[in-house]
Amino acid sequence: MGQSGSGLKQVSLNLPAKPEDIAALELGSVVYLNGVVYTAREGVYQKVIGEGQPLPVDLTGLSNVNFHCSPAAAQTDDGGYRIGGVTATASFRFSKWMKQWLELTGTKIVIGKGGMPSEDYKKTLAPMGAVYLTTVGYGTGALLGRGIKGVRDVFWIDELGIAQAMWLFDVENFGPFIVDSDLAGNSLFAQHGEQVNANIDQLYEGLKPPALHRYGETGDRTDEVM
Amino acid sequence: MIANETIEKAAYDVMTKAAIDIPEDYLNGIKGMVDMEKGDLSAFVLKAMIDNWEAATEDRRPMCADTGLPRYFIKVGNEAKFDGGFVGFERALRSATARATHDVPLRPNRVHPLWRHDHNNNVGLNAPEVEWSFEPDADWIDITTVHKGGLFGTDYRMLFPGDGIDGIKRFFLDTLIAFGKRGLACQPAIVGVGLGGSKDICMVLGKQAACLRPVGDKNPDPKVAELEDELKELGNNIGMGAMGFVGSSMCVDVHVECGFTHTGGMPMSVHTFCLSSRRATARIHADGSIEYRTDPKWFTPYMRRETIGWDSQEAASSKSA
């Protein structure tokens, strides 16, 4: 799917991912995954880190991939689950939990939408041997849905709802994802953002300045959150 | 007399179609952008999106798992007759939303803002939103649904008359750049701009401009149409493509809608629809038959009327003049 004609490097990883496989990932490569992937976002982080509840499952040897995801899913009459599509939610808001979460779970691949601040890669993910992959276009819910072969388990669904529950998915050829960070702590998004910023002054040239200089109307882009 | 069940069926069907089937105008717009995109990562993303839409169609599964905040835009013909009054109508819409959420499935995104509880059916306090409009000389009902995400890509600013067109362009760029980084606004998209009105109506106009006009549609005011073209070119020259990667794919189209505003102000809103532009419309005819399409035909001459009264003959002659 979508692989033909692209000049980008393609990688297929078996999970749990091995340290040498992770070390070999290059910024901008396209990745497909096989094995078990789990989801955790604010509801799960709050329970485990905020409230100190134990992990509902031992992830060791099972999965080291945390997908910031909420599925479009529904319960079936036999008590199972039907997964329509899955896509990611914006990861930058999970920064405050990442360090403890990686320590607690041994997670080595974080997948989500939009990447995390470059600081997080340098200070948290890379030193712990972890990288970040971004989903593609963010709307590739049907392609990713195809890669989910089954629901292995789901936890806290009654309390957290379908969107926030912790899901364990069996996946095959699950992707595409793009490598946003490597073990040197580099960020593909940050690199592209800097290139775009270099053009922006030109765009505003010739447009007269605003009538009033209110908060928020700064041209300074050196201190952006993302 | 149009039955409640017919309204519910049409509403349920458009919920499903909007989630799964990409509108053709938008798909063609994206294909045009792929051909022009020089950035390799940005081009890869767009091709993956096309694969994704094909997979969605084949599998009958949602294009994107974030099926947004489902909402309805209802246009009722002034001569339309339906059972149960408007209260029955709204009940049918809420019921259709809950059933479609389970059956498609849509993601149950709607939670209480403070207590975060989720009914798992996208129905709750003030949800789904229903916006009503009316059409003279018509006996049909148009039910349109839009699944638009809610977090990024939308902004508002009170500009002033002295800011002029330059101020509009600056704020347009500010918004696209701020939200386009890392693709948080899921570009390329149809971008809607609301100009004027009161603050709340300014937001409504911008959202409707983004979500209810197909690619290629132009504002009937030639000067506003010219501004639409200029904004589109400006957006595609930011140097940013899909997901914020270096490229040129930012705006598939730009639509501007205006409302008379306060003499001292120039309110402006910017809304990016998502990369899976999800809209679908059903027209229920007076005999109960249902016709499906992807163009909501929302901004009719009646919707854009400037005068006190309404005379379709007069509008037709002034349009042709």
Side-chain angles (χ1 to χ4, degrees):
Chain A
M1 280 290 162
Q3 300 174 34
S4 57
S6 162
L8 303 175
K9 189 172 171 185
Q10 314 267 337
V11 183
S12 184
L13 283 186
N14 291 324
L15 304 176
K18 296 189 191 76
E20 58 269 29
D21 291 339
I22 290 171
L25 293 176
E26 296 169 24
L27 296 192
S29 291
V30 178
V31 177
Y32 293 82
L33 303 174
N34 307 289
V36 180
V37 166
Y38 73 87
T39 73
R41 51 184 296 183
E42 53 265 76
V44 171
Y45 294 147
Q46 183 54 33
K47 270 195 171 303
V48 176
I49 297 172
E51 297 163 19
Q53 294 200 28
L55 281 173
V57 56
D58 181 11
L59 291 171
T60 319
L62 183 63
S63 174
N64 56 6
V65 181
N66 179 181
F67 189 13
H68 289 152
C69 156
S70 31
Q75 193 151 22
T76 52
D77 292 339
D78 61 2
Y81 293 91
R82 190 160 49 90
I83 306 293
V86 295
T87 39
T89 192
S91 296
F92 64 84
R93 63 185 194 270
F94 305 135
S95 285
K96 66 174 178 180
W97 288 298
M98 261 314 106
K99 186 166 186 296
Q100 279 175 279
W101 186 258
L102 297 188
E103 281 169 359
L104 197 67
T105 59
T107 293
K108 300 297 178 198
I109 296 178
V110 179
I111 307 178
K113 168 174 176 169
M116 306 195 73
S118 306
E119 286 264 288
D120 289 355
Y121 296 154
K122 289 207 160 57
K123 291 187 176 163
T124 308
L125 269 69
M128 297 178 75
V131 296
Y132 185 95
L133 311 182
T134 176
T135 51
V136 170
Y138 304 133
T140 43
L143 285 182
L144 295 179
R146 275 185 173 179
I148 293 183
K149 295 301 157 193
V151 174
R152 180 173 281 232
D153 226 330
V154 58
F155 303 99
W156 292 317
I157 194 162
D158 292 337
E159 290 161 78
L160 298 176
I162 286 171
Q164 293 271 349
M166 185 176 186
W167 296 85
L168 262 66
F169 296 131
D170 287 307
V171 303
E172 199 179 294
N173 201 28
F174 186 47
F177 304 106
I178 294 176
V179 181
D180 181 43
S181 82
D182 58 18
L183 288 186
N186 296 308
S187 163
L188 180 70
F189 277 129
Q191 290 175 3
H192 278 250
E194 281 162 22
Q195 286 184 62
V196 171
N197 280 353
N199 297 326
I200 287 175
D201 286 344
Q202 262 177 293
L203 267 179
Y204 285 81
E205 252 175 44
L207 297 178
K208 66 173 194 248
L212 297 175
H213 288 275
R214 289 156 295 178
Y215 179 70
E217 288 177 350
T218 173
D220 181 4
R221 295 181 189 278
T222 56
D223 191 25
E224 291 175 299
V225 176
M226 288 295 293
Chain B
M1 189 73 82
I2 295 169
N4 258 187
E5 294 73 40
T6 310
I7 291 170
E8 184 168 337
K9 177 186 169 18
Y12 176 91
D13 288 349
V14 293
M15 277 274 147
T16 309
K17 286 173 189 291
I20 297 172
D21 298 312
I22 192 82
E24 204 170 355
D25 61 276
Y26 181 74
L27 178 61
N28 289 337
I30 291 283
K31 283 180 176 165
M33 301 203 87
V34 178
D35 294 340
M36 290 189 302
E37 182 55 83
K38 300 247 180 349
D40 56 352
L41 280 161
S42 187
F44 172 80
V45 173
L46 295 181
K47 284 179 199 143
M49 288 309 300
I50 290 170
D51 291 342
N52 180 64
W53 293 323
E54 283 169 5
T57 307
E58 279 171 29
D59 297 3
R60 305 308 296 160
R61 61 169 97 222
M63 298 182 261
C64 175
D66 185 348
T67 46
L69 300 173
R71 63 195 298 146
Y72 293 102
F73 298 88
I74 310 295
K75 193 180 283 293
V76 183
N78 201 37
E79 316 301 326
K81 303 268 188 299
F82 51 94
D83 276 335
F86 283 96
V87 172
F89 202 134
E90 287 203 333
R91 188 186 162 79
L93 297 178
R94 287 166 85 88
S95 172
T97 305
R99 287 202 297 119
T101 298
H102 178 269
D103 293 353
V104 176
L106 305 176
R107 196 167 81 192
N109 272 335
R110 296 277 193 176
V111 299
H112 189 284
L114 289 170
W115 325 127
R116 314 305 291 183
H117 62 264
D118 190 334
H119 295 165
N120 280 332
N121 64 7
N122 282 314
V123 177
L125 286 171
N126 287 303
E129 296 89 345
V130 180
E131 291 177 46
W132 299 95
S133 77
F134 307 97
E135 188 65 15
D137 308 320
D139 58 3
W140 42 254
I141 297 167
D142 270 0
I143 297 180
T144 297
T145 193
V146 166
H147 300 329
K148 183 185 181 303
L151 300 187
F152 301 107
T154 297
D155 212 351
Y156 168 88
R157 189 176 290 170
M158 175 57 82
L159 299 172
F160 296 95
D163 287 317
I165 298 286
D166 278 1
I168 290 168
K169 289 179 177 171
R170 285 187 80 101
F171 181 54
F172 178 78
L173 287 172
D174 284 352
T175 308
L176 294 191
I177 292 165
F179 290 115
K181 294 268 171 71
R182 297 155 185 265
L184 291 177
C186 298
Q187 70 271 14
I190 303 172
V191 184
V193 174
L195 293 179
S198 53
K199 182 174 185 173
D200 52 341
I201 294 303
C202 181
M203 293 295 283
V204 167
L205 281 172
K207 178 163 275 183
Q208 293 182 354
C211 301
L212 301 179
R213 285 175 51 190
V215 175
D217 185 45
K218 292 285 162 208
N219 191 293
D221 180 329
K223 284 189 177 148
V224 176
E226 197 181 311
L227 178 62
E228 290 177 338
D229 287 341
E230 284 176 13
L231 291 175
K232 180 178 171 184
E233 195 185 335
L234 208 51
N236 286 332
N237 278 320
I238 290 172
M240 197 192 288
M243 290 176 72
F245 293 131
V246 168
S248 59
S249 308
M250 180 57 84
C251 310
V252 178
D253 211 347
V254 176
H255 297 146
V256 177
E257 287 300 323
C258 301
F260 271 35
T261 191
H262 191 287
T263 183
M266 225 318 296
M268 171 167 174
S269 70
V270 179
H271 305 251
T272 47
F273 203 2
C274 50
L275 190 43
S276 299
S277 253
R278 292 162 292 185
R279 63 169 132 75
T281 299
R283 174 164 296 182
I284 308 175
H285 293 284
D287 64 1
S289 62
I290 304 175
E291 171 202 342
Y292 296 99
R293 56 170 201 269
T294 52
D295 176 0
K297 298 180 185 167
W298 181 257
F299 289 100
T300 59
Y302 179 71
M303 283 288 282
R304 292 190 175 115
R305 69 198 183 279
E306 270 200 56
T307 58
I308 293 170
W310 173 251
D311 180 335
S312 56
Q313 298 286 319
E314 206 176 282
S317 63
S318 72
K319 207 177 167 188
S320 60

